[in-house]
Amino acid sequence: MTLTSKFKSKDISILQAAANKEIFLDIKNPKLYKKVKRYYQNEIEYSEDDHELNYSLVLECLRQDLVGVA
């Protein structure tokens, strides 16, 4: 399942804003951030005590998956 098929178009625009560093997803929309973390759980090995590292890993995956999405 692709990112664009998993999330609503409204959510995709929020994810694009986060990937472009226009917003902090974990602050602006924590529920969506939690869903995105769950979406990438098989691709990312999360650190239990380093939130900043986890956030940057999630955003890097988002950037890669959102390339070419209008």
Side-chain angles (χ1 to χ4, degrees):
M1 180 173 279
T2 65
L3 185 72
T4 53
S5 66
K6 173 72 175 170
F7 294 96
K8 301 173 193 170
S9 61
K10 178 184 104 174
D11 292 340
I12 295 296
S13 64
I14 294 170
L15 296 176
Q16 286 176 323
N20 293 333
K21 298 181 181 179
E22 297 168 9
I23 64 167
F24 290 103
L25 183 61
D26 56 341
I27 296 170
K28 174 85 173 164
N29 197 328
K31 287 182 181 182
L32 180 58
Y33 177 63
K34 187 175 181 179
K35 289 177 185 178
V36 172
K37 275 183 67 175
R38 201 172 320 121
Y39 177 79
Y40 288 120
Q41 69 185 358
N42 294 329
E43 296 181 37
I44 298 174
E45 190 171 322
Y46 294 109
S47 169
E48 289 184 24
D49 47 325
D50 193 347
H51 174 75
E52 289 181 24
L53 174 63
N54 294 340
Y55 186 77
S56 65
L57 291 171
V58 167
L59 284 188
E60 183 57 35
C61 287
L62 274 176
R63 283 186 198 99
Q64 291 174 7
D65 286 350
L66 290 172
V67 169
V69 174

